[in-house]
Amino acid sequence: MVRRVSLVLGILILMVLINSVGIWANDYKLSVDDQLFISVWGHPDLQRQTVVGPDGKINFPLVGEIKAIGLTVKELTKVLDTRLRQYIKLQEAQVNVALEKYQRFRVTVLGEVNRPGTYQLQKGKRILDAISFAGGVNQLADLAHVKLTRNNKSLLIELESLLNGDNTLQNYKLEDGDVLYIPEDTIEVTVLGEVRKAGKYKLKRGVHLSDLIAQAGGLTDRASNKAKYISGKRTESLELAKIFNKKSNNPNLKNGDTVYIPKTKYDWQRFFFFVGGLNSLKDLLN
């Protein structure tokens, strides 16, 4: 009975040790200089603290060197258990490994990056390091309104100037549990009528009407030269030929804008087919 109570007490102490450092022991992968506390029930001579060495290994009595780097606490416990069974009799849950101090921490990068997710970084890493781990920002990123959240408090980061090297003071050191959020800088616009792929499009802020038409696959053969541009309560008639030839203003689109391109009044395709047919008949008669 006393032995069972002691075992339960030992497990509770180990749980407190894990929680006291706020560690996510289930998925944290061990790194160089991480400090571990290892105990084996019934063998107080095997209880000890150890540190993951520069070679990524720990040294433990009886079993010698074990590669710990890259393993979770659970995986290392299993390796120790297997190796120790060659020398002593063990029952289940008799090998306990607790992570007391760790050199890596977890940061989450969300939003408009190429590989959003949670990353383990070494202590001392900064905002730009985390974004690099996440594959960098994508073309839809709003670099002016990046948020760093720590302990439920958010700080606005001017990422564009940071990337350009103009404001390195904002390249803050990160801490365990930090969240970086890079919002999208996009607008949603609609193109209807004589384009090859009519519909709604999410585009980078700052695009022009000609960019939207290109995104929609270009004009059909029956597209009119006249287009209706609807922005808010304002409707404007535009000549596409002048826009494409840079002889007229190419509107900078805003969120919610709509472009409508009607059919031309003249079916030029049929006209040219008809003219071509007449020429062929004339050649045949001659």
Side-chain angles (χ1 to χ4, degrees), residues 70-82:
L71 299 180
T72 64
V73 169
K74 185 177 180 180
E75 290 168 340
L76 179 59
T77 302
K78 186 175 181 180
V79 172
L80 272 170
D81 183 271
T82 301

Side-chain angles (χ1 to χ4, degrees), residues 132-146:
S132 177
F133 269 88
V137 296
N138 63 35
Q139 61 181 359
L140 299 180
D142 180 357
L143 302 181
H145 299 93
V146 174

Side-chain angles (χ1 to χ4, degrees), residues 169-187:
L169 292 177
Q170 280 203 313
N171 193 18
Y172 299 114
K173 281 187 178 181
L174 297 171
E175 297 181 5
D176 184 41
D178 282 355
V179 177
L180 272 173
Y181 174 65
I182 296 90
E184 64 178 12
D185 187 20
T186 60
I187 58 173

Side-chain angles (χ1 to χ4, degrees), residues 5-233:
V5 171
S6 299
L7 177 59
V8 172
L9 183 60
I11 293 173
L12 288 174
I13 291 173
L14 289 171
M15 290 176 66
V16 170
L17 283 171
I18 292 173
N19 290 330
S20 67
V21 295
I23 196 64
W24 12 279
N26 287 335
D27 57 1
Y28 177 80
K29 295 186 182 299
L30 296 171
S31 180
V32 172
D33 291 333
D34 284 347
Q35 182 174 302
L36 305 169
F37 179 80
I38 303 174
S39 63
V40 181
W41 172 251
H43 297 271
D45 54 315
L46 296 179
Q47 177 176 303
R48 66 194 56 226
Q49 285 182 333
T50 186
V51 174
V52 180
D55 58 357
K57 298 178 181 179
I58 62 169
N59 199 299
F60 199 73
L62 299 179
V63 299
E65 289 187 337
I66 294 177
K67 184 178 179 181
I69 192 169
L71 299 180
T72 64
V73 169
K74 185 177 180 180
E75 290 168 340
L76 179 59
T77 302
K78 186 175 181 180
V79 172
L80 272 170
D81 183 271
T82 301
R83 297 275 290 272
L84 283 170
R85 286 177 186 275
Q86 300 175 23
Y87 303 96
I88 57 177
K89 290 185 178 181
L90 293 175
Q91 296 179 4
E92 288 187 11
Q94 285 194 317
V95 177
N96 295 296
V97 179
L99 182 55
E100 293 186 315
K101 294 181 181 179
Y102 54 98
Q103 298 303 314
R104 287 181 179 266
F105 59 94
R106 187 166 62 174
V107 170
T108 301
V109 186
L110 301 174
E112 299 306 315
V113 290
N114 291 307
R115 294 192 301 271
T118 299
Y119 294 90
Q120 284 186 192
L121 305 179
Q122 290 182 329
K123 286 186 177 180
K125 293 297 184 182
R126 298 175 180 269
I127 287 175
L128 290 183
D129 298 313
I131 291 175
S132 177
F133 269 88
V137 296
N138 63 35
Q139 61 181 359
L140 299 180
D142 180 357
L143 302 181
H145 299 93
V146 174
K147 284 186 179 180
L148 170 62
T149 301
R150 178 180 298 165
N151 298 325
N152 296 321
K153 295 181 179 179
S154 294
L155 180 67
L156 191 65
I157 305 296
E158 178 58 58
L159 187 58
E160 185 169 12
S161 61
L162 188 55
L163 289 170
N164 292 334
D166 299 330
N167 188 15
T168 56
L169 292 177
Q170 280 203 313
N171 193 18
Y172 299 114
K173 281 187 178 181
L174 297 171
E175 297 181 5
D176 184 41
D178 282 355
V179 177
L180 272 173
Y181 174 65
I182 296 90
E184 64 178 12
D185 187 20
T186 60
I187 58 173
E188 191 173 85
V189 290
T190 303
V191 58
L192 302 172
E194 294 303 312
V195 289
R196 300 191 185 281
K197 292 181 287 186
K200 286 187 177 182
Y201 288 86
K202 184 181 286 187
L203 301 175
K204 178 76 174 177
R205 191 179 302 276
V207 297
H208 295 83
L209 184 143
S210 59
D211 299 317
L212 174 60
I213 292 174
Q215 189 73 25
L219 301 172
T220 68
D221 295 333
R222 294 181 292 181
S224 171
N225 182 47
K226 298 285 187 179
K228 288 191 180 296
Y229 170 48
I230 305 166
S231 182
K233 296 181 180 180

